[in-house]
Structures are given as C-alpha cells and as structure tokens.
Amino acid sequence: MPKKYVDIETLKYILYDIHKLKNSLARERFQDHDMESLNLFLDSVKEFSDRELYPYFKEMDTTPAYHKDGTVLVHKQVEKVMQQSGEMGIIAACFNYDIGGLQLPFIILQAALYIMESANNNLPGYAGLTGGSAELIVEFGTKELIDTFVPNMLSGKWAGTMCLTEPQAGSSLSDIVTKATPTNQGFYKISGQKIFISGGDHQYSENFVHLVLARIEGAPKGTKGISLFVVPKNRPKSDGTLEYNDVMTVADFQKMGQRGYCTTHLGFGDSDDCRGWLVGEEHAGLKQMFLMMNGARIAVGRGAAAISMAAFRASLQYANERPQGRKLTSTGKKNPSEKQSLIIVHPDVRRMLLLQKAISEGSLCLVLLASKYHDFETTATSKEEKEKYHLLLEMIIPIVKTYPSEAGAESVDNGLQVLGGYGFCTDFVLQQYYRDIRIFAVYEGTTGIQSQDLLGRKVTMQNGKGLELLSAEILKTIAAASNDIDLKTYATILGDKLKLSQKVLGHLLPIAKKGNYERFLADANLFMEYMSIVVLGWLWLEMAVDAKNALKNGDKKYSETFYESKIHTMKFYFKYEVPKTNALSESLMNNEEVTIKKDKEYIL
Amino acid sequence: MPKKYVDIETLKYILYDIHKLKNSLARERFQDHDMESLNLFLDSVKEFSDRELYPYFKEMDTTPAYHKDGTVLVHKQVEKVMQQSGEMGIIAACFNYDIGGLQLPFIILQAALYIMESANNNLPGYAGLTGGSAELIVEFGTKELIDTFVPNMLSGKWAGTMCLTEPQAGSSLSDIVTKATPTNQGFYKISGQKIFISGGDHQYSENFVHLVLARIEGAPKGTKGISLFVVPKNRPKSDGTLEYNDVMTVADFQKMGQRGYCTTHLGFGDSDDCRGWLVGEEHAGLKQMFLMMNGARIAVGRGAAAISMAAFRASLQYANERPQGRKLTSTGKKNPSEKQSLIIVHPDVRRMLLLQKAISEGSLCLVLLASKYHDFETTATSKEEKEKYHLLLEMIIPIVKTYPSEAGAESVDNGLQVLGGYGFCTDFVLQQYYRDIRIFAVYEGTTGIQSQDLLGRKVTMQNGKGLELLSAEILKTIAAASNDIDLKTYATILGDKLKLSQKVLGHLLPIAKKGNYERFLADANLFMEYMSIVVLGWLWLEMAVDAKNALKNGDKKYSETFYESKIHTMKFYFKYEVPKTNALSESLMNNEEVTIKKDKEYIL
C-alpha cells in the first residue's frame, strides 16, 4: 500500500488559513474549543485512521460484505470503527451538549471524516449515516423519540440509516408507496420495500434505526404526501429489552466498488408487525429529510474528494519511484545510454498529476467551504447573516455534491493512467479507487438531479439572490488578486468567465419564462460543469492569493515550495480547465434542440 | 443480459454504404469474394457470437482466469472459440491462399472481430493475437519457420502471443534486456522476463508460439539493437512431437476488467534451455514488430468501439423499459397523477444516450476507415496509391487506437449513469463494460505514447504530407455537405475547425524547430483530443451526407428513421462535442509552461 493516503498539511492549510477556522471558533457555540485542541483532535483521527482504517482498505474490497440468512455479514473492522467513532465523539461531534454532543464545528467533523475516508472509504459511512439519522430525530422528533433512540446512536451502539429509494421510484421520490397505517397506540404500521440502503444491516450492531419515508393512508399524491418515520429493526420495550420489529433484510446489492460498505434491500412489515413512529409533522417528511440533505450532499462530495486525494497520493508515489524512459533532448531524440528518468519528469505524467492535485485539493477546499457556510448559518447571530449563509450554502450544495464526484472520477482515472498497465491490476490500489469513486455521481441525487437543482431552483431562488451573493464572494477574491501583479491576469480571466455565465443565463432564463422548462433544463449538466469550473477557479485563485501573501510577508507556516505549489496548481487550473467554459458556453447558447423528445424517435 | 449487444444494421451500413465495401472487392486479391458471401460470413459470425460468446460474458468475469501450478486456467469457452475461429477461418481470414488463408479483405475481418468483441471481449483476443503473430512469421520468417508454426496457428490448434514489455522497461522498449545468445545450431538461447502477455498460457492449447523482442549479445543499445524471435513454449521435434522449451509461466496479473482474458508473466530460459529462432534480420526486430503494430492498434480501437457499442445497447434497452419521473410541464412542475414516463423521454437521459451513440458508432466508422485504408494500401496497384493510403493510415492510426479507448470509456460511463444505482451493481452488465474498457487506453501504447506519435511523428512525416492527404479527404466531405442546404452550416463549422488546427500547429511547430521538443510535445494529449474531434466530426458529417442523399433519392435500404438518426447524431456531435476544440485550442496556444519540470519541485 502507498505510504501516504492524505495530505494533512494541505488539509490544515485549507482549514486554518484559507477557511480561517479561527473565525468559526469565535462563535459562542464553539467557545469551549480552541485551535490547539481541534488540531489534536484531527491528529488523533489521523492516528486512528492509520491504525484501524487504512490497513483494512484492500481486504474489505476483496472480501466484500454479503447477504446470508437474512442478515449481511461485513468485515470485523466495522465493529471496531463504529465503537471507536462513538468513543472518540465522531458520531456525537456536532450535537448539543445536552444530549451528549461535543458542539464541535461542522467543518471539523467534515475534516475528520475526510481523513477517515481517505484512509478507507468503506468504513466512515456506517458512523456518518448514524449521525445523520440521529440528527433528524433530534431536529424533528419528540423528546421521547430522542431519549429512546439517540443516546445509543451517538455512542455507536446502534446504527442509523436513511430509507428513501424504492424499486419503482428511483430518483422520483413523489412515487414512493411505502405505507404507514395509523393505529391508536401512538405508532403507525409500516409496510413496503426500500432499496439501496447503505449500512442497512450487519452482524455488529444490535439495532438499526431506520429513518423511513412513507405515505400515510389517504395522504395527497406526490411529494406533498410523504411523512418521515423512525422504524427500528428491533423496538425497545419499556423494560429496556429489544423486540423484533418485522424489518427484514431481503437481499443485498453486490457492487463494483465500495464493496466493504454494505448496501441492502429492506422489507418492512412482511408479517404486519412493523411499527414506525412519526418524526415531525404529517406529510412534512420530504421537507424534513431535505433539511438534512445538505449535510448528506456535503458528505458525498467529501467522500469523493477523499478518494481522489488518496488516489493522487498513490499515483504520485508511483511516479516518484518508477524509472522509465528519458527526457527528450533538443534533437527530439532520447539517449539510450543515459540512465532512465523517474516518470515524474515527463510532462504528460506531470499534467496528469497536476490535474489530480487541482481536482482533489480543489474539491477539499470546496467541501470545507460549504461546511464553513453551514457553521455560519447555524450559529448566525442575525437574521440577515443566517439568510446570507443559508443562500450561499443552498447555492453551492449541488456543486459540492457533483464536482468532487465527477471531476474526482476523472482525477482517479488519470491516477490509474500514471501507473500504466499496473494501474489496471488488482495488486495496485488505483483500480480500487477507480471503482469506488464511481458511485458518488449517483449517491444522494445523481449528477442530472443536482444539475436541475442548480439551474432550475438555486439560480432562480429569491430572484437570483443566492447567485448574487456567490458572485459577490467571487468578486472579492478577484479584487484581491487584481492587486497582485502576478495574479492580475488570472483575476481578469475569472471575471470574464463570471460575466460569461451571466450571458449564458441571459440566454437560458427567457426560455423558462416562456414556459419551455424542458428545454430550459435540458443542458443543466453543462451549466453545472460551467459553474463548477468558475467556483473551482475562484477557490484556486483564493489559495494563490493567500500563498502569495504568505511568501511576500515572510510569515511562512509552511515551506516555500508548499506555497509555490498552490500558486502553480492555480496556473495549471487556469491553463487547462478554465478554457473549457468556452466550449460549454457555446453549447449552452446553441439553440438547436437535439435532446428533446420529438414525435419521431431518432435514437435507434 | 440485454437482448442486443451490437447494431448489425449500423455495422453493415458503415461497411457497405459509408466505406463502400464494393470498391474494395474490385481489387484483384479479393476477386473470389462478393457482397453476398461476405454478408453471409458476417451473419454466421453473429450467429456464432450469439451462441458461443455472449452467453458466457458475465461468467468469464465472475470466474476469472487464474494462475495455478505453473499454468493459467481459463474458462472452457476459450477452447471452443479458438477451435471455431480456426474452423470458420477467422484466424486465417486475411492470409494468402498458398498458406491456407482466405484472402478476405482486412475490413471484413475487423467487422467480424468487432461483432465477437461486442458479444464478449474476453474471447476474440486469443484468436486475434494468434493471427497477428502468425502474420509476423509469414511476413519476415523463413519458409521453415512458416511451415513449422503457421499451419497449426491458423487452424487454432496453437496459440500465438506478442512479447514486448519487460518489468523494468514498460513503454520504453529501448530498455529491453531479454537476451538472445547465438549458438551454431541455427537457434539462439533466450533468457529474460516478459510481462503483461495477453493469452500467454492456458490449459486449452497444446502449444504457444511467442513472438519475442530480445537483444542479441553485443547488439547496439536502444531500439536499434532489438531483434525478433519465435520462441515456442514447446519446440516441435523432427518427428512431430513436442518438447518443453523452458518457457515458464511465472505468474498472472489479476485485473479490474477483462478478467476472462488472461494476462501472464513469462520467464524464458530459467534452465538455460530456451530456444528462439530469429525472425527476419538481426536488430530489425522493433521495425518489424511495428510494421504489424498498425494492425494491433486498429484491434485495440476496434475492441474499445465494440465495448462502447455493447454498453450503449444495454443502457438504451434499460432507458426504453424503465419508467421513472415525468416530463416537465409548462409550469416547470410535474403532475404526480400522471403515469410515470419511460426514462428515455428525459432530455438528460437522451443526451447521455446520444453521446454514446455518437461515440460508439463514430468509433466503429473510424476503425473501419483505417481498415479500408489498410486494404487499399496492401492491394494498391501503383506506388502513388500505396504511398497515399500508407500515409493516410499512418496519420490516423494513433487516433484509431486512442479515440475509441478514451471516448469509449466516457461513453460507457454515461451508459452506467443511465441506470443510476443499478449501473453500479454487479447484477447489471454496465459495470463490467466500465471495468473492461479501462485497459484500452493503456494497451499497445498508452494515450500519452499515441499522442506523441501523432504530434511528434505523424504530423511532421514527409513534411506534413500525411496531414495534407487527410485534410484533402475531410475537405471532400465538407464540399459535399456544403451543397446541401441543411448540412451547409455543419460543413462550415468543420472547415473552421480544420483551419484552427492549422493555426494550432503554426503555434506549436516553431517550438520544435527551436529544439524545444519537450515543450512541443508537452500538450500532445490535447492535440490528440483536438484532432480526434475533427476526424469524428468529419465521419459524422460524411454519414449525414450519405443519409441525406438516401432520403432525397428515395433509394432507401434502411428505414427513414434509421437515416434520420444518423443526421440527428451528427447534429448532436456538432452541438456538444465539436465546441470542445475551442477550449483545446486555447490551452494548446497558451504559452505558460506548467507541466515542464523546472529546477524547483512544485508537486507536493
């Protein structure tokens, strides 16, 4: 296995210097934490990941989770990591003190899970989903529900899951049919099937607390008739013992990647004895679920960013160790008497490595930006501030979910290519990252869904206020970079691309106004790609501004090479990635309709 | 398994109507063949593939080839397909009558292997490599060598392989160290290690005829000191029996994909008893091998084109059967009371399907174009004609190898995404295509190597004669399309892109002239992408011109929808793919050097 799976220095740089963790810590909620203690916390997570996660990464792929006799058998490390995630406060990190939480900033939890996911992306999901579902109960559930379920979840004793997808509905949640029948005993009877349930069952948790979307009998059709329920695998009785709650593990899904992270098919109420407890209001389930969905989507972006980082480190190590070929001489030939070069000297290999660096570190910066907005929103001291960060977060969420997943897959693909034939062989780890990362463009809303969210909802929300706020943030960086003689050029380019995005919207929005929504959203994926490049260009420019300042002011926490490499990667991004906006804007403003279904069927 | 893995109609359309097989058949060498007999041959290959290849596709992935006790155990179907490939004349297809060949056009063999590869890409390689290595012996070997080895290879009794790569050399063939020591008995003693040998050993062939690159003792350094040898696993004795020739299967490579197509590590001469027979002249090995390399590179492009086709058909079937979501109404909402739509109505799904169609059918058209050039070169009746098709083939070969592999992987990626979560599950076949196709960007010279070949050698060969000839062909299509009122726009765009490519070269070539070859070739991959888009745009425009003519003239062999779909896919290609040249040309003409190694190391 490669020596290094994560670049902790860059993580801390982005966390402390770029996103200025200190500012978050000034918030009242976080007053008990200081930079030093959080730094130690991250170091302990790294040490834990070195010891309990990374060494099992390959093994969890070659001996995948599997369904047997009504349960799913997973790798023994699941037990260890769930337990330790409880003990170390990873599950409880962001909860309030009063229910046993640590009131850590959300951004710190994301950094911690990022480290763990770089080490082994099969494991943190078990803990992460448990925290996410506990959060839903805490946010919307009654005190009784909270007391019954949450403490055992935060300690890692019980696991939690989110049950949205059904076989006949897929991404179309309005077609959910899982049924909730009211009783007069305070619970509902649940019946239905849920698929693609991550961490839905295994031998190491005595209970699973499922957060289930279902339809109360007689509820309105569509998404407005969906309610949220807590449906445990085993229901706690008043004496503290557990009783089977008719939640059956029907099957599992064997997957191309993330093979150690089990994916299950659950059946509820096969024997008409499955009880569910309503969380929050009737028919408000989807809205409630979506309040938590931002967290889930940050988590997806974070996981993908972590995998692309780990793959980058692995291919970088290979490139630094593998001799092959020679540098070209000025006659265009090579001299076979010379010693072979390490492949890291070849420009094409460097291009692939720099692309990985730009994508993986850029994705990390993006994920932590969203986390910062999340902290600022939840701890805002004024309505205006809350609104501002709420809108900023809403605006970038689809990009945070999508860019690390899509570009991350491209990044890993380049990492594999650096190794040539070895990259394709199971003896090397690149092919595992290649398979693992592929699911992230599907998780929690596919790229298509995210793109429609970005263009169809986020751009237009509150008359474009979110986009306005985001543009203002970008313009701040452009202004700062314009003051630097070396960065001015890049600032100008980014400004132009931002303006061009407005032109693109000026072309698209009238189409929606005319009522042709299908056409308006037809190329939403391309718009997603466009905006992602602008946002990533912005973050890289921001990093370059900071690095430049550090070099100028002599206030260097990191090496000169470290700062130079950030500036260099920004230049790479502007040379190779930013120009893609030209192609995208041309396609987006092309009026020919070739993907809208017409009367004639052309695809054969 | 999906019902349809290949679109035979499109294959025949491209073969007969676009590449006008009739013109090839007019050549003397092919006079015994007519359209009808070749059509029947392809139908029989399809029937054979339906029966003996496709049903085993999944099984060969889940029970991969593996190394045990010094041999490799492969799926039983390898035996069947090798034997039948012999009987049906697939291995012998293009050889001369005098050694048992069928003198079929090369383009027909490629079409046949394409069908087989669409059905199951694990199998045709065994036969294909046997044909390729037999060809090397026939082309350069003595009559004795031919008589000893070739008949058993053409019949499928013995298998053949190509042994180039060594552990310490990788793509850098000048660093090959496998040793050939002359003896006075007409053979050389061979010793060394070869890795990544496809089809290098298995239980179903009584002999393996390895074509091995090695260095005769005292040979010059570099590629000019490499010779080619026939090194059988078992050497035939004068009495016709076989004697072990000290070729050991040291290990195999377990891979992410193509798991049924074995990849071996061979050791030659461990007991100092491995005999090799020189093929052709001393030190001419690499030149000889590369004369055959065009065929090998066409084969790689063909395999990738076949996989992307099969994946396209699978995702198209899914999209036509899976109901999910609804069309957007003019208020931008969906009506949940409406029946769910099939996902093929959603523009984003159609975009993914059309991209697959454009790439997979375009790749097929490209592969068969190269095959046609190959036939025209080998059967040319004048020196000028031979030269013309030689240069045209040389020019497009790196693109033929690369575009189907790189764009094909993107195509399959989109196919997987059409299936959402199911695409990631092993119950569905998309994830297998996704894994299988990934090796094609590495096979027979990586994308990096091909790109350097295109920009560094092919563009400049004979003072740009190859590029001139290719441009002339493209201009012919542009002229034809300009005469059609509907196609004129696209003709103009393609003409502009061709001109822009000259501007790009006008920027790059002076850099080489100044002796800065490293910088000249640093972005060769981007140039490859640029030229690929131009060539594919050309082929799609050519198909549109033909389809338009057929529709106008009422001479319709295929349905109106069939022709319309070709024109429609061309439009798709011009809207979504061709604009990428804008971004690529901008990057290519950007003078900032960010991938050339400087004194300081910036990648951390």
Side-chain angles (χ1 to χ4, degrees), chain A residues 72 171 216 240 255 299 319 489 512:
Chain A
V72 175
S171 298
I216 297 173
K255 309 182 307 276
T489 326

Side-chain angles (χ1 to χ4, degrees), chain A residues 322 324 422, chain B residues 163-171 173 175-179 192-195 212-215:
Chain A
R322 167 78 178 173
Q324 194 179 301
Y422 291 117
Chain B
C163 299
L164 287 78
T165 308
E166 298 181 7
Q168 79 294 342
S171 297
L173 294 176
D175 292 299
I176 280 178
V177 295
T178 291
K179 217 166 61 180
Q193 306 281 318
K194 293 286 179 179
I195 59 168
V212 176
L213 290 183
R215 206 176 280 284

Side-chain angles (χ1 to χ4, degrees), chain B residues 28-30 32-33 89 91-105 131 134-135 138-139 146 150-151 154 378-379:
Chain B
E28 204 192 329
R29 180 179 174 83
F30 309 132
D32 297 338
H33 304 290
I91 306 176
C94 297
F95 287 82
N96 289 346
Y97 289 142
D98 59 14
I99 51 160
L102 301 182
Q103 293 195 185
L104 278 176
E135 201 182 343
V138 169
E139 188 74 24
I146 296 171
V150 173
L154 299 195
T378 51
T379 61

Side-chain angles (χ1 to χ4, degrees), chain A residues 503-532:
Chain A
K503 199 176 152 196
V504 167
L505 284 174
H507 180 88
L508 293 177
L509 289 169
I511 300 173
K513 283 211 183 96
K514 279 182 211 142
N516 194 351
Y517 278 91
E518 193 172 41
R519 165 78 184 86
F520 169 57
L521 293 176
D523 290 328
N525 278 46
L526 278 73
F527 183 75
M528 165 66 83
E529 227 183 296
Y530 189 108
M531 287 311 293
S532 300

Side-chain angles (χ1 to χ4, degrees), chain A residues 271-313:
Chain A
S271 311
D272 195 29
D273 187 30
C274 177
R275 299 180 187 174
W277 286 266
L278 184 68
V279 181
E281 290 168 37
E282 283 187 1
H283 314 323
L286 203 68
K287 212 176 105 197
Q288 291 167 183
M289 186 64 99
F290 270 81
L291 273 179
M292 297 299 113
M293 198 42 98
N294 280 354
R297 288 178 173 169
I298 292 173
V300 175
R302 183 195 71 217
I307 295 173
S308 65
M309 166 60 83
F312 168 47
R313 301 313 309 187

Side-chain angles (χ1 to χ4, degrees), chain A residues 167 175 254 322 326 340 413 426 438 490 523 525 561 565 568 575-576 582 586-587 592 594 601-602, chain B residues 167 175 254 322 326 340 413 426 438 490 523 561 565 568 575-576 582 586-587 592 594 601-602:
Chain A
D175 292 300
Q254 285 297 316
R322 167 78 178 173
R326 286 158 193 85
Q340 289 201 323
D413 180 55
T426 56
R438 183 58 187 85
Y490 308 99
D523 290 328
N525 278 46
T561 322
S565 84
H568 194 76
K575 174 168 179 178
Y576 291 95
N582 296 351
E586 190 179 318
S587 298
E592 199 160 23
V594 287
E601 182 54 85
Y602 287 145
Chain B
D175 292 299
Q254 286 297 317
R322 167 77 180 174
R326 287 158 191 85
Q340 290 200 322
D413 181 54
T426 57
R438 183 59 187 85
Y490 308 99
D523 291 328
T561 321
S565 82
H568 194 76
K575 175 168 179 176
Y576 292 94
N582 296 350
E586 191 179 318
S587 298
E592 199 160 23
V594 287
E601 182 54 84
Y602 286 146

Side-chain angles (χ1 to χ4, degrees), chain A residues 25-326:
Chain A
L25 289 185
R27 307 280 166 143
E28 203 192 329
R29 180 178 174 82
F30 309 132
Q31 61 184 333
D32 297 337
H33 304 290
D34 56 27
M35 292 293 286
E36 207 179 336
S37 65
L38 294 181
N39 200 41
L40 283 173
F41 173 70
L42 291 180
D43 290 343
S44 71
V45 170
K46 173 66 167 54
E47 189 274 327
F48 170 53
S49 302
D50 285 348
R51 189 166 32 83
E52 302 292 351
L53 282 91
Y54 193 50
Y56 303 94
F57 180 51
K58 212 169 165 176
E59 199 173 294
M60 290 187 74
D61 180 59
T62 49
T63 56
Y66 66 102
H67 179 247
K68 198 185 165 189
D69 304 332
T71 188
V72 175
L73 300 174
V74 297
H75 192 279
K76 66 175 173 47
Q77 213 56 15
V78 172
E79 181 174 32
K80 185 85 175 183
V81 170
M82 270 300 276
Q83 183 198 328
Q84 291 249 41
S85 296
E87 278 173 26
M88 293 173 71
I90 287 165
I91 305 175
C94 298
F95 287 82
N96 289 346
Y97 290 141
D98 58 15
I99 51 160
L102 302 182
Q103 291 194 189
L104 279 177
F106 183 74
I107 196 172
I108 286 294
L109 173 61
Q110 298 313 308
L113 289 166
Y114 171 82
I115 297 171
M116 293 169 67
E117 266 153 353
S118 310
N120 185 341
N121 71 75
N122 290 294
L123 284 166
Y126 292 100
L129 268 179
T130 302
S133 38
E135 201 182 345
L136 268 175
I137 303 177
V138 168
E139 187 75 22
F140 302 107
T142 58
K143 185 168 181 312
E144 198 189 339
L145 277 183
I146 297 171
D147 291 345
T148 309
F149 294 104
V150 172
N152 279 333
M153 295 171 82
L154 299 195
S155 71
K157 197 174 167 199
W158 293 356
T161 82
M162 306 280 200
C163 299
L164 287 77
T165 308
E166 298 180 7
Q168 79 295 340
S171 298
S172 176
L173 294 175
S174 63
D175 292 300
I176 279 178
V177 296
T178 292
K179 219 167 59 180
T181 313
T183 68
N184 51 14
Q185 296 161 275
F187 57 80
Y188 290 69
K189 285 232 180 149
I190 308 291
S191 67
Q193 306 281 317
K194 294 286 180 178
I195 58 168
F196 295 144
I197 308 309
S198 299
D201 194 17
H202 56 73
Q203 76 273 40
Y204 293 121
S205 282
E206 72 170 12
N207 204 5
F208 289 81
V209 183
H210 305 294
L211 275 287
V212 176
L213 289 182
R215 205 176 282 285
I216 297 173
E217 279 197 325
K221 285 204 167 196
T223 52
K224 285 174 186 160
I226 296 173
S227 304
L228 181 64
F229 296 87
V230 169
V231 188
K233 178 178 174 182
N234 301 300
R235 53 197 185 226
K237 291 198 294 185
S238 49
D239 64 359
T241 60
L242 293 172
E243 179 175 53
Y244 178 59
N245 191 37
D246 196 14
V247 177
M248 209 162 69
T249 303
V250 179
D252 71 343
F253 294 88
Q254 285 297 316
K255 309 182 307 276
M256 173 173 77
Q258 286 210 320
R259 293 161 61 79
Y261 187 29
C262 69
T263 309
T264 58
H265 177 168
L266 301 179
F268 296 87
D270 235 40
S271 311
D272 195 29
D273 187 30
C274 177
R275 299 180 187 174
W277 286 266
L278 184 68
V279 181
E281 290 168 37
E282 283 187 1
H283 314 323
L286 203 68
K287 212 176 105 197
Q288 291 167 183
M289 186 64 99
F290 270 81
L291 273 179
M292 297 299 113
M293 198 42 98
N294 280 354
R297 288 178 173 169
I298 292 173
V300 175
R302 183 195 71 217
I307 295 173
S308 65
M309 166 60 83
F312 168 47
R313 301 313 309 187
S315 72
L316 180 60
Q317 180 178 330
Y318 183 87
N320 269 313
E321 291 172 354
R322 167 78 178 173
Q324 194 179 301
R326 286 158 193 85

